[in-house]
Amino acid sequence: MNLPPFDPARFEEEWAQDQDVLQNLAANGDNPAIVRPVDVSFRGSGKALAALEEAAEELGFTVLGDEQSEDGGLWLFLEREQRTDEASIRALTELCLRIEAYFGLEYDGWGCVAETGMKH
């Protein structure tokens, strides 16, 4: 699949939010070198979300599920295993913004659990 380039201004907007999440993870003792599930979400039309769901595996994601919000919006949640260091998150955000452009969706960010390397 040949994804288009992402909008640099859109990337800067997302990257500012990514920095907040990364700082929050660090404050919770996260070890960014630990590979763990990282989930992402997209919002859009049912047709566009279905197309992304079909392409998810090829793009390196597992489908977690979809949801309809109270306002009628449709969401698709995907996940992949990866680190949370800056370079890995930057690459994830760039990929998701390219997916957003290709499928005509709205990327709504990523999330994960802080991993300290200590057994719970």
Side-chain angles (χ1 to χ4, degrees):
M1 179 173 300
N2 193 5
L3 296 174
F6 57 86
D7 175 1
R10 179 87 174 89
F11 175 80
E12 291 307 321
E13 176 186 310
E14 284 298 324
W15 187 241
Q17 293 174 27
D18 290 348
Q19 294 296 319
D20 290 343
V21 177
L22 290 169
Q23 287 173 358
N24 202 0
L25 284 170
N28 286 301
D30 186 61
N31 177 346
I34 297 174
V35 174
R36 87 289 305 269
V38 175
D39 61 271
V40 297
S41 58
F42 293 89
R43 181 181 174 133
S45 72
K47 186 176 179 179
L49 291 171
L52 173 55
E53 189 169 348
E54 263 187 46
E57 192 175 322
E58 181 184 344
L59 294 164
F61 292 95
T62 301
V63 176
L64 291 176
D66 53 19
E67 191 176 289
Q68 184 168 359
S69 59
E70 289 180 15
D71 67 1
L74 299 175
W75 297 85
L76 180 64
F77 301 92
L78 306 176
E79 176 181 85
R80 75 179 197 179
E81 298 279 326
Q82 71 164 69
R83 293 179 172 93
T84 57
D85 58 273
E86 282 203 12
S88 297
I89 294 301
R90 183 178 197 92
L92 175 67
T93 298
E94 289 176 2
L95 172 60
C96 288
L97 291 177
R98 293 174 73 200
I99 289 170
E100 174 183 83
Y102 183 87
F103 290 94
L105 294 166
E106 177 190 338
Y107 170 59
D108 193 48
W110 62 276
C112 67
V113 174
E115 291 288 347
T116 62
M118 308 289 279
K119 295 288 179 208
H120 302 288

